[in-house]
Amino acid sequence: MPVPAGGFSRARPRSRTLTAVHAALLEDLVYPTEIVGKRQRYRLDGSRLLKVFLDEKDRNTTEYKLDAFAGVYKKMTGKEVSFEFPPASESAN
């Protein structure tokens, strides 16, 4: 956004922030599948890894695409990401 001539600045809309754009890109990238969770992992060397959990019901149709999703997202945003399916809950006692 250009700086106004008056010297004051306006707040940037949420939909225009880099974080919002990257989140929308992630949603669009895995479109037929829904994202059910995200976790950000900080490694000891300071790098970050975004873990994205996809809907279990679409496992058969998207499992072979996970590496392609990660490659495309890395190329477009520069962020490292890992796509996974949530572990099966065994709390059926």
Side-chain angles (χ1 to χ4, degrees):
M1 292 176 73
V3 177
F8 61 92
S9 63
R10 281 188 270 160
R12 178 170 283 131
R14 170 79 173 121
S15 64
R16 303 291 191 272
T17 63
L18 188 63
T19 304
V21 169
H22 285 183
L25 179 67
L26 191 61
E27 287 283 338
D28 291 344
L29 188 64
V30 298
Y31 167 65
T33 306
E34 289 187 30
I35 295 174
V36 295
K38 292 184 210 174
R39 302 288 182 270
Q40 193 154 22
R41 178 173 178 225
Y42 292 89
R43 295 188 180 133
L44 291 175
D45 63 354
S47 63
R48 292 183 290 187
L49 173 68
L50 180 65
K51 287 186 174 185
V52 178
F53 296 102
L54 303 175
D55 198 358
E56 183 68 34
K57 68 180 172 74
D58 296 323
R59 180 185 282 264
N60 294 336
T61 59
T62 58
E63 193 162 27
Y64 64 95
K65 300 178 190 176
L66 299 182
D67 291 335
F69 288 160
V72 170
Y73 190 76
K74 170 80 171 163
K75 192 70 162 179
M76 293 183 83
T77 64
K79 293 182 179 179
E80 201 170 328
V81 68
S82 161
F83 292 94
E84 302 173 10
F85 294 98
S89 60
E90 298 180 15
S91 61
N93 290 337

